[in-house]
Amino acid sequence: MKVVLDYAWLILGVALLAGLITGGLHRYALARNLVDMPNARSSHSVPTPRGGGLAIVLSVLAALAVLALQEALPWAWAAALLGAGAIVALVGFVDDHRPIAVRWRLLAHFVAAAWALAWLGGAPPVLVLGSIIEPTWVSCGLALVYLVWLLNLYNFMDGIDGIASVE
C-alpha cells in the first residue's frame, strides 16, 4: 500500500495523460476514418474508432521512463518494457492505418518478446515441487512463445469493446 501512496502522483499522471491522448487519438481516428465497422464477429454494434490503446501505451511508457530515471525501476527492466512496448505499439499503430499481414505482426511480436527476454537475461529459474529448474534454451523458447501468446490474448480481449482496460 505504501508503494501505491508513494507513486499516487504518477498513477494520477498516467491516467490524466492517457485521457488527454485518448481525446486526441479519437479526433485523429475520426478525421482519417480509422473506424472499425461492426460485423458478424464484432462485439460492438456501432462504428468504433481505432487506436485508443496507443494512449495507454504511451502513458505507461512515459511512467516507466520516469520510474527508471528515479531509480525506482532497474534500467534493464525499463529497457525491456520500453523497447518491447514501443515495437508492439508501432506495429499496432501502422496496422490501424493499413492492415499488416498476420505473419509480419506475429514476427514483430516475437521480436518484441525476444527484446524483453534479452534485456531481462532470459527466462527466470522456476521452482517446481521444491526444486529450482534453471533456464535453458528450451525454457527461453517457451517463455518467448508464452509472451507472444499473452500479448495476442490481451489484444483479443481489447477487441471486445475495451474489456482489456478493466484488466
Side-chain angles (χ1 to χ4, degrees):
M1 185 68 175
K2 181 182 179 326
V3 172
V4 172
L5 293 176
D6 287 347
Y7 289 99
W9 62 270
L10 186 60
I11 294 167
L12 181 60
V14 167
L16 289 173
L17 183 60
L20 289 172
I21 296 172
T22 298
L25 287 171
H26 185 263
R27 287 186 298 281
Y28 176 85
L30 293 177
R32 286 170 180 69
N33 199 30
L34 301 175
V35 179
D36 274 333
M37 300 305 286
N39 60 39
R41 295 180 51 211
S42 300
S43 64
H44 55 275
S45 57
V46 297
T48 305
R50 294 183 198 161
L54 186 60
I56 296 168
V57 171
L58 292 175
S59 301
V60 169
L61 293 180
L64 291 170
V66 167
L67 290 171
L69 288 170
Q70 290 187 337
E71 298 181 0
L73 180 69
W75 276 104
W77 292 16
L81 296 169
L82 288 167
I87 291 167
V88 172
L90 178 63
V91 169
F93 187 73
V94 171
D95 187 53
D96 284 340
H97 287 76
R98 57 185 169 124
I100 298 174
V102 172
R103 69 177 170 267
W104 298 115
R105 283 193 318 251
L106 194 58
L107 175 63
H109 294 169
F110 273 101
V111 168
W115 171 275
L117 285 172
W119 276 98
L120 296 174
V126 178
L127 182 64
V128 177
L129 300 173
S131 298
I132 294 177
I133 299 175
E134 293 297 327
T136 63
W137 284 103
V138 172
S139 63
C140 286
L142 290 173
L144 187 71
V145 170
Y146 170 75
L147 288 173
V148 172
W149 172 79
L150 191 62
L151 170 63
N152 282 278
L153 176 65
Y154 194 81
N155 274 340
F156 173 75
M157 284 191 322
D158 194 41
I160 304 174
D161 276 345
I163 193 173
S165 64
V166 297
E167 294 296 314

